[in-house]
């Protein structure tokens, strides 16, 4: 086989053999995601002409896919780029098919914006004459369906999905529009749109969500579904009038990504065992607490997934329905027509349910109905906005629920937060000062050996912490994905007594929790940091304070 053999005429095994004979690496599959700065290291026209393209950057090295790595012109281009960018080049042999897949990453949002701006200037010339207002509206509708605008919206959405974003924010600024993606709980600027393009993009999204495009004075809510990579993804759309125009936020609801097992979410050790025990009860109430965006609903869905079978009638009341799950009877409340959590709960109790999930207990009426449902043979799941797990008990008492009813109905209270995970592709051990190691050792002494064993840790073992040094896969952050840290408190006979006789005294329940050896969220987070899931900085970021772990009720 000589250097002039055409790659597109070779089989995969033959290309692999050629790579071996040339003493170089072989790229079998196209990467799932290539960032704009990396792919644009080599301009698109140059890449197509010489059949070379950049697909990954790690530190000072850029990986290059080449169809013919012995092409003199291609090698000259690479030498020029290496000198200009002051980087090293690692060349990988690829087949035509994989190379063409890599080329598809050139169609990024920036190029789409340029195309849309050009199209906008050519097509969107409205008459100021009032007699032609109807004609202008038709013209506007045509532009909203125009290929560049439609494609731009699709590209923004696809880049958000590829980057595993949970939300897309499109915000009018003074001179332009800003597009931000929320990835692992943190917002990042992804794109800047020209002032004239922003409203057109927002109008296009409103059409997709079946909202009124001419209503810009008040907020609107809607949703739509797109099929991408052979799976359906739902988008929840919210519009808000702001000082410079109209802001849109799209929540990305990927059923396959969002609903997972409780182990994958991060529920480990005694917390997992106690939760499994609670959901196997035939009746009673399980409450999740935490601020907005702490993953409460995702955990509840994961628990419902365990219970979801043909023998059970599971009904949910949600606002809004985040994930459409087969086998569940999910109902969307509509307060504007009087269909509230309380009214809905009254109705579904007549629907012969085994398991009920109420999205949130917001008022005394819903709380009372939920408690009575839990006492009359139903397994009830819901959420409360309190900072701690134990704080849910005095909160229910404040809502007017009698302590004896709470002690009889409540099975488990849980609190959670989300922390960013260390990127597995660039994870490495981190040097920690001896002072911190000493503090950690002291905290580990307060956690039972049995609990540490459940986490696969040892009180006398070596203390190792990890961090991500930053790579292409995590966009240089060293963090990718999220895991939850939990506090799970089962309602034991002793805690029931404290609820009924001491009006749910938070200090007394906290004392009992510590006596039982149950982990606080900070302790759970510390153990997850020791297991290499996350960093100490992340635990401190979401729980606050320093590592006086067992002393605080967080």
């Amino acid at each position: 086989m000589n250097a002039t053999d055409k790659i597109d005429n070779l089989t995969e095994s033959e290309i692999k053999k050629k790579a071996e004979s040339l003493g170089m690496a072989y790229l079998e599959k196209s990467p799932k995601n290539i960032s704009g700065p990396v792919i644009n290291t080599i301009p698109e026209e140059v890449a197509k002409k010489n059949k070379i393209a950049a697909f990954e950057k790690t530190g000072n090295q850029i990986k290059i896919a080449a169809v013919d790595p012995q092409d003199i012109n291609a090698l000259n281009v690479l030498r020029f780029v290496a000198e200009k960018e002051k980087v090293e080049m690692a060349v990988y042999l690829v087949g035509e098919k994989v190379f063409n897949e890599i080329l598809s990453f050139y169609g990024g949002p920036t190029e789409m914006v340029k195309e849309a701006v050009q199209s906008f200037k050519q097509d969107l010339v409205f008459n100021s004459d009032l007699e032609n207002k109807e004609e202008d509206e038709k013209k506007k509708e045509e532009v909203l369906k125009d290929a560049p605008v439609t494609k731009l919206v699709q590209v923004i959405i696809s880049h958000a999905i590829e980057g595993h974003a949970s939300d897309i924010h499109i915000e009018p600024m003074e001179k332009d529009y800003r597009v931000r993606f929320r990835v692992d709980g943190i917002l990042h600027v992804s794109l800047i749109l020209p002032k004239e393009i922003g409203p057109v993009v927002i109008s296009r999204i409103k059409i997709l969500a079946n909202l009124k495009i001419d209503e810009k004075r008040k907020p609107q809510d809607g949703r739509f579904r797109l099929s991408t990579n052979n799976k359906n993804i739902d988008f929840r759309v919210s519009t808000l009038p702001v000082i410079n125009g109209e802001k849109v936020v799209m929540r990305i609801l990927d059923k396959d990504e969002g609903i997972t097992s409780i182990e994958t979410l991060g529920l480990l050790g005694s917390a997992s065992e106690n939760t499994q025990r609670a959901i196997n009860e035939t009746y009673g109430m399980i409450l999740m607490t935490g601020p907005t965006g702490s993953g409460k609903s995702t955990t509840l869905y994961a628990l419902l997934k365990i219970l979801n079978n043909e023998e059970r009638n599971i009904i949910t009341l949600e606002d809004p329905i985040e994930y459409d799950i087969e086998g569940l009877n999910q109902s969307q409340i509509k307060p504007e027509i009087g269909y509230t959590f309380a009214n809905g709960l009254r109705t579904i109790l007549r629907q012969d349910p085994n398991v009920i999930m109420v999205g949130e207990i917001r008022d005394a009426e819903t709380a009372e109905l939920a408690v009575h449902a839990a006492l009359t043979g139903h397994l009830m799941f819901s959420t409360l906005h309190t900072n701690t797990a134990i704080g849910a008990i005095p909160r229910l008492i404040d809502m007017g629920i009698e302590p004896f009813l709470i002690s009889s109905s409540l099975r488990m209270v849980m609190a959670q937060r989300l922390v960013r995970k260390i990127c597995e592709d660039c994870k490495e051990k981190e040097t920690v000062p001896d002072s911190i190691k000493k503090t950690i050792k002291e905290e580990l002494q307060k956690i039972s050996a049995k609990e540490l064993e459940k986490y696969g840790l040892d009180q006398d073992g070596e203390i190792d912490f990890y961090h991500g040094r930053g790579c292409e896969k995590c966009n240089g952050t060293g963090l990718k994905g999220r895991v939850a840290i939990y506090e799970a408190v089962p309602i034991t006979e002793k805690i029931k007594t404290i609820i009924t006789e001491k009006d749910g005294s938070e200090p007394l329940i906290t004392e009992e929790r510590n006596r039982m050896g149950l982990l606080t969220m900070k302790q759970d987070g510390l153990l997850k940091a020791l297991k290499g899931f996350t960093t100490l900085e992340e635990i401190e970021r979401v729980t606050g304070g320093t590592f006086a772990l067992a002393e605080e009720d967080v």
Side-chain angles (χ1 to χ4, degrees):
M1 196 180 294
N2 58 50
T4 58
D5 284 333
K6 286 202 169 185
I7 295 288
D8 53 346
N9 291 332
L10 302 180
T11 64
E12 199 171 285
S13 60
E14 286 173 332
I15 300 170
K16 205 169 187 177
K17 281 180 187 173
K18 180 169 182 177
E20 286 171 10
S21 69
L22 292 170
M24 66 190 306
Y26 165 58
L27 187 65
E28 194 174 337
K29 291 180 182 175
S30 166
K32 288 184 179 177
N33 191 27
I34 305 174
S35 71
V38 170
I39 193 77
N40 286 304
T41 303
I42 298 170
E44 186 175 3
E45 290 306 313
V46 176
K48 285 178 179 175
K49 185 181 175 183
N50 297 283
K51 297 204 170 179
I52 50 173
F55 65 89
E56 190 178 315
K57 184 176 182 183
T58 308
N60 197 42
Q61 187 190 71
I62 292 181
K63 293 179 182 177
I64 303 291
V67 172
D68 183 2
Q70 293 175 298
D71 182 292
I72 300 298
N73 291 331
L75 291 172
N76 284 336
V77 169
L78 291 181
R79 200 173 293 114
F80 173 77
V81 172
E83 287 173 8
K84 183 188 168 193
E85 300 288 333
K86 294 184 173 57
V87 290
E88 294 174 8
M89 297 286 186
V91 181
Y92 286 67
L93 185 66
V94 292
E96 288 277 357
K97 185 186 172 191
V98 173
F99 182 73
N100 288 331
E101 285 172 4
I102 290 172
L103 285 182
S104 68
F105 286 97
Y106 274 103
T110 308
E111 288 73 25
M112 290 296 103
V113 170
K114 289 175 186 171
E115 195 179 333
V117 170
Q118 199 169 357
S119 168
F120 186 91
K121 284 176 180 174
Q122 287 171 357
D123 297 339
L124 198 55
V125 184
F126 297 134
N127 286 310
S128 57
D129 189 347
L130 289 174
E131 291 177 15
N132 293 321
K133 190 177 178 183
E134 195 176 319
E135 190 182 320
D136 284 345
E137 288 301 318
K138 285 180 183 174
K139 188 83 172 172
K140 196 181 283 186
E141 283 178 24
E142 284 169 23
V143 172
L144 289 173
K145 293 174 186 173
D146 196 33
V149 174
T150 304
K151 198 171 180 185
L152 175 57
V153 172
Q154 286 173 340
V155 168
I156 289 170
I157 287 170
S158 64
H159 273 252
I161 293 167
E162 285 163 12
H164 301 285
S166 60
D167 301 85
I168 303 170
H169 292 238
I170 303 175
E171 306 159 303
M173 312 300 283
E174 196 174 337
K175 294 179 180 176
D176 47 40
Y177 274 70
R178 180 173 65 179
V179 180
R180 292 193 290 174
F181 296 161
R182 188 179 291 282
V183 180
D184 298 335
I186 308 294
L187 279 168
H188 303 276
V189 176
S190 169
L191 187 64
I192 299 297
L193 299 173
K195 194 74 176 174
E196 65 267 30
I197 287 294
V200 184
V201 168
I202 286 174
S203 293
R204 176 66 194 156
I205 292 165
K206 286 166 82 172
I207 287 171
L208 287 171
N210 202 24
L211 302 177
K212 295 176 181 175
I213 62 169
D214 58 342
E215 179 55 84
K216 298 175 183 178
R217 298 166 302 164
K218 62 183 183 183
Q220 295 185 77
D221 291 301
R223 59 193 299 149
F224 64 92
R225 176 176 287 183
L226 288 179
S227 182
T228 176
N229 296 329
N230 296 320
K231 64 179 179 179
N232 290 327
I233 295 178
D234 289 336
F235 295 84
R236 197 173 80 212
V237 179
S238 172
T239 71
L240 179 73
V242 291
I243 192 166
N244 291 312
E246 196 172 17
K247 172 178 175 170
V248 163
V249 174
M250 287 187 279
R251 167 66 56 90
I252 301 170
L253 304 169
D254 184 344
K255 186 164 61 174
D256 297 330
E257 290 278 334
I259 309 303
T260 181
S261 68
I262 55 173
E263 291 80 14
T264 310
L265 289 172
L267 197 56
L268 306 172
S270 296
S272 177
E273 292 168 3
N274 289 330
T275 304
Q276 292 276 8
R277 205 172 293 122
I279 68 172
N280 285 325
E281 296 278 354
T282 53
Y283 71 95
M285 186 157 63
I286 297 163
L287 287 178
M288 286 293 312
T289 73
T292 303
S294 60
K296 301 186 298 296
S297 297
T298 303
T299 299
L300 287 185
Y301 279 126
L303 298 178
L304 291 177
K305 193 177 177 184
I306 297 170
L307 299 171
N308 189 11
N309 60 38
E310 290 181 0
E311 297 168 8
R312 290 189 180 92
N313 177 19
I314 302 175
I315 304 179
T316 74
L317 277 177
E318 303 176 56
D319 182 26
I321 296 171
E322 294 202 8
Y323 298 100
D324 179 8
I325 304 170
E326 194 172 343
L328 267 58
N329 300 288
Q330 296 171 270
S331 184
Q332 165 78 56
I333 70 156
K334 293 185 173 68
E336 66 273 14
I337 60 167
Y339 183 38
T340 61
F341 280 125
N343 291 342
L345 192 45
R346 277 197 195 88
T347 303
I348 64 175
L349 285 171
R350 295 192 287 271
Q351 290 278 317
D352 186 31
N354 300 104
V355 180
I356 300 167
M357 194 267 267
V358 173
E360 186 187 339
I361 294 177
R362 293 177 181 171
D363 52 56
E365 190 181 7
T366 308
E368 191 178 344
L369 287 165
V371 166
H372 283 290
L375 288 170
T376 53
H378 306 95
L379 193 58
M380 163 69 66
F381 294 86
S382 194
T383 69
L384 264 181
H385 281 283
T386 61
N387 288 325
T388 66
I390 293 166
I393 296 165
R395 177 86 179 97
L396 287 173
I397 292 171
D398 287 344
M399 285 180 164
I401 309 300
E402 293 288 348
F404 76 91
L405 291 175
I406 296 171
S407 67
S408 303
S409 61
L410 208 52
R411 292 281 176 268
M412 162 87 75
V413 283
M414 299 172 71
Q416 77 172 78
R417 302 288 188 276
L418 292 175
V419 293
R420 290 181 290 173
K421 287 167 69 178
I422 298 169
C423 173
E424 289 297 327
D425 291 284
C426 62
K427 184 163 138 182
E428 60 184 18
K429 279 190 181 179
E430 184 178 28
T431 307
V432 176
D434 289 338
S435 58
I436 290 182
K437 280 192 176 183
K438 187 184 174 188
T439 306
I440 299 303
K441 279 271 189 191
E442 288 169 3
E443 294 308 329
L444 288 178
Q445 296 300 320
K446 297 172 186 174
I447 299 171
S448 71
K450 195 174 177 183
E451 188 68 47
L452 287 171
E453 192 182 324
K454 289 173 184 175
Y455 278 74
L457 297 167
D458 183 1
Q459 268 180 343
D460 302 316
E462 188 61 38
I463 289 179
D464 289 320
F465 287 103
Y466 300 82
H467 75 133
R469 74 176 170 275
C471 67
E472 178 63 25
K473 296 278 174 68
C474 61
N475 291 321
T477 62
L479 300 160
K480 187 181 179 187
R482 287 192 287 181
V483 67
I485 57 172
Y486 290 95
E487 177 189 351
V489 182
I491 306 302
T492 60
E493 289 303 319
K494 189 74 184 284
I495 292 176
K496 285 181 181 180
T497 303
I498 296 170
I499 293 170
T500 50
E501 294 181 5
K502 305 291 182 183
D503 283 340
S505 166
E506 210 167 332
L508 288 176
I509 297 174
T510 301
E511 194 180 302
E512 175 61 15
R513 179 205 62 192
N514 293 341
R515 190 197 64 75
M516 290 164 67
L518 299 173
L519 297 181
T520 64
M521 272 195 292
K522 278 189 179 179
Q523 288 173 325
D524 182 39
L526 171 63
L527 298 186
K528 281 169 181 160
L530 285 168
K531 283 182 72 66
F533 292 164
T534 187
T535 65
L536 284 175
E537 291 80 9
E538 273 297 291
I539 303 303
E540 287 199 331
R541 180 179 69 84
V542 300
T543 60
T546 56
F547 287 96
L549 290 160
E551 304 301 320
E552 297 179 44
D553 175 35
V554 176

